[in-house]
Amino acid sequence: MALFEVRFIKTVCDDRGQKHRACEAAFSIEAPSLTDAVGRAEADFCRERHVHDWTIFADAVEFRAPAALERARAS
């Protein structure tokens, strides 16, 4: 299985109206595929926040696949 890094992102505005991206949660998920990793991360996020829909707290999901993680660790 591969290790995927999955982050849940919320876009928020500051007092000047500038948009910023805030990480609401991050998970390292071991899964056979990206689809499985994102599904498991969504379930974990909802379980932690006691909600049925992760989009209540986040606007987007970002992820890094195994090859990208290895490149980031090597540099």
Side-chain angles (χ1 to χ4, degrees):
M1 283 210 233
L3 182 66
F4 296 89
E5 193 173 288
V6 183
R7 296 171 17 126
F8 292 84
I9 305 297
K10 178 75 173 179
T11 302
V12 295
C13 291
D14 64 17
D15 58 345
R16 296 183 192 172
Q18 298 294 317
K19 292 182 180 179
H20 301 277
R21 295 165 45 83
C23 180
E24 292 293 316
F27 298 92
S28 292
I29 304 288
E30 203 170 308
S33 70
L34 174 61
T35 302
D36 287 339
V38 171
R40 290 178 189 180
E42 288 173 352
D44 289 349
F45 184 95
C46 289
R47 193 171 20 263
E48 281 186 6
R49 299 288 174 104
H50 305 288
V51 296
H52 296 319
D53 182 5
W54 62 269
T55 61
I56 293 169
F57 289 100
D59 300 321
V61 174
E62 289 183 347
F63 56 85
R64 284 192 180 179
L69 288 173
E70 289 305 317
R71 283 193 301 271
R73 288 188 186 122
S75 57

